[in-house]
Amino acid sequence: VVRSQLQFTEYWQGRTGLSIGLREVLYSETSAFQRVEVFETDILGRALALDGAVMFTEFDEFVYHEMIAHPALSLLHDARRVLIIGGGDGGAAREALRHPDIETLDLVDIDEMVAEVARRFFPNVSSSLSDPRLALHIQDGRAFVEEAKGDYDLIVVDSTDPFGVAEALFSRGFYESCRRLLAPKGILVAQSESPFDPSQRDVVEKVSRSFREIFPIAATYLAFIPTYATGMWSFTLASKRLHPLRDYDGEGAGKRLKGFGLKYYNPEIHRAAFALPTFVRHLISDPGDEGYA
Ligand code: SAM
């Protein structure tokens, strides 16, 4: 194939999507669970795709991985035990383990191939897989939380989209199991798809509703990820006790984050991320806006 013709397109819906020029396909295998591909792209560095969906690119992975980990860890500021479901590439774990107080991090991914590929092609994303505080469990996350002992200060659900094996990670039963595993001040964070993506916006609403039914405090927040469907991405945070804005000490967080070398998250972004466009508020139909300051 002529080099200039190599393209990878992630379709959002029908014939519409994001098309990325490729220099080379570095890896393409099918594991027991999904197709795993690694691309050398023209301008975005290397990219990982699972079942035809971009998981991350070197160009913008820092946004997603900083924003799935630091809002909750800055709110907690003394988290000791962390559980990450999915995220076998190690990106979310890399960000969490920047916090020196963390003593143990359980990383549970169903597909060993993801960790292997991350180690081989994405040394910067997977660096934490060799951190002595990290224990990698190759297992279904739903089964893990049903058998695990508490109590975690933070549980992160860094899953693929809610299809196939990942569907179980969006179920109410799974979230209730996570709640049982959380310490009294514990926080649950899940990536919750895009409010702009016609085929995924119901997930934003469903996760928000489940979290609000199961936890006293829940809030949706946003980040801008150019290589994800539509570029607007949501995360949903739930807590038994800490409100993401009212209980947030931005000044203290700013001091603790010094030296982390973050490129997206900061105390101002923390507050801004929870400010939602009106259409997103309507989408999650949060009556009292109690999830927001
Ligand atoms: N961290 C990346 C990012 O920047 O978005 C992508 C997320 S990570 C690659 C998604 C992971 O969820 C995949 O590695 C997949 O194997 C894992 N996964 C899907 N279903 C799962 C399940 N039921 N239990 C555990 N891991 C699961």
Side-chain angles (χ1 to χ4, degrees), residues 179 211-218 238-243 246 290-291:
R179 180 197 161 109
F211 279 24
R212 275 190 270 137
E213 286 167 359
I214 301 169
F215 290 86
I217 297 168
S239 170
K240 295 180 179 178
R241 194 179 301 171
L242 294 173
H243 186 283
R246 285 198 291 272
E290 77 278 5

Side-chain angles (χ1 to χ4, degrees), residues 137-290:
H137 309 260
I138 301 301
Q139 191 179 350
D140 173 35
R142 176 73 193 259
F144 183 90
V145 297
E146 279 165 6
E147 292 148 23
K149 303 270 170 297
D151 50 359
Y152 290 100
D153 300 299
L154 170 64
I155 299 178
V156 170
V157 186
D158 176 10
S159 70
T160 37
D161 300 337
F163 308 117
V165 281
E167 201 162 353
L169 305 184
F170 288 81
S171 71
R172 194 180 153 123
F174 171 72
Y175 294 144
E176 279 164 351
S177 300
C178 290
R179 180 197 161 109
R180 185 176 48 75
L181 292 176
L182 282 172
K185 282 194 320 178
I187 295 181
L188 171 65
V189 174
Q191 76 87 2
S192 45
E193 306 294 329
S194 171
F196 254 137
D197 180 345
S199 58
Q200 297 282 12
R201 67 164 71 101
D202 63 310
V203 179
V204 180
E205 189 278 327
K206 196 170 154 261
V207 175
S208 172
R209 182 161 28 86
S210 299
F211 279 24
R212 275 190 270 137
E213 286 167 359
I214 301 169
F215 290 86
I217 297 168
T220 302
Y221 64 97
L222 303 177
F224 306 105
I225 305 176
T227 59
Y228 275 15
T230 80
M232 178 187 275
W233 209 256
S234 83
F235 301 87
T236 310
L237 178 147
S239 170
K240 295 180 179 178
R241 194 179 301 171
L242 294 173
H243 186 283
L245 294 173
R246 285 198 291 272
D247 296 313
Y248 179 66
D249 162 20
E251 206 182 317
K255 287 198 191 86
R256 275 191 306 280
L257 295 170
K258 270 203 178 23
F260 281 21
L262 302 187
K263 299 192 290 187
Y264 190 92
Y265 180 78
N266 61 53
E268 293 70 34
I269 277 283
H270 179 101
R271 293 194 176 283
F274 288 91
L276 301 176
T278 304
F279 85 92
V280 181
R281 285 194 172 188
H282 291 165
L283 174 65
I284 58 176
S285 60
D286 185 326
D289 289 355
E290 77 278 5

Side-chain angles (χ1 to χ4, degrees), residues 34 55 64-65 86-87 89 109-110 114 140-141 158 160 165-166 228:
Q34 53 210 340
M55 290 292 115
Y64 176 92
H65 292 130
D89 50 273
D109 199 303
I110 200 165
V114 174
D140 173 35
D158 176 10
T160 37
V165 281
Y228 275 15

Side-chain angles (χ1 to χ4, degrees), residues 47-67:
L48 172 69
L50 296 180
D51 281 344
V54 171
M55 290 292 115
F56 61 80
T57 73
E58 289 180 316
F59 172 73
D60 60 358
E61 57 88 7
F62 67 93
V63 182
Y64 176 92
H65 292 130
E66 289 184 23
M67 288 304 281

Side-chain angles (χ1 to χ4, degrees), residues 72-73 76-82 99-103 153-154:
L73 287 169
L76 284 161
H77 67 70
D78 55 358
R80 297 269 185 287
R81 296 190 67 223
V82 174
H99 294 258
D101 294 342
I102 291 176
E103 290 163 4
D153 300 299
L154 170 64

Side-chain angles (χ1 to χ4, degrees), residues 1-79:
V1 176
V2 171
R3 182 180 288 272
S4 63
Q5 285 171 342
L6 215 48
Q7 289 286 117
F8 168 78
T9 301
E10 175 183 340
Y11 291 100
W12 303 342
Q13 202 167 8
R15 292 176 303 127
T16 302
L18 169 77
S19 197
I20 301 174
L22 302 184
R23 291 215 185 106
E24 198 179 342
V25 176
L26 298 173
Y27 184 92
S28 176
E29 297 292 341
T30 301
S31 74
F33 303 99
Q34 53 210 340
R35 193 164 89 250
V36 181
E37 292 170 302
V38 178
F39 305 120
E40 190 67 65
T41 73
D42 291 351
I43 61 165
L44 303 176
R46 286 184 176 173
L48 172 69
L50 296 180
D51 281 344
V54 171
M55 290 292 115
F56 61 80
T57 73
E58 289 180 316
F59 172 73
D60 60 358
E61 57 88 7
F62 67 93
V63 182
Y64 176 92
H65 292 130
E66 289 184 23
M67 288 304 281
I68 205 167
H70 297 299
L73 287 169
S74 299
L75 197 52
L76 284 161
H77 67 70
D78 55 358

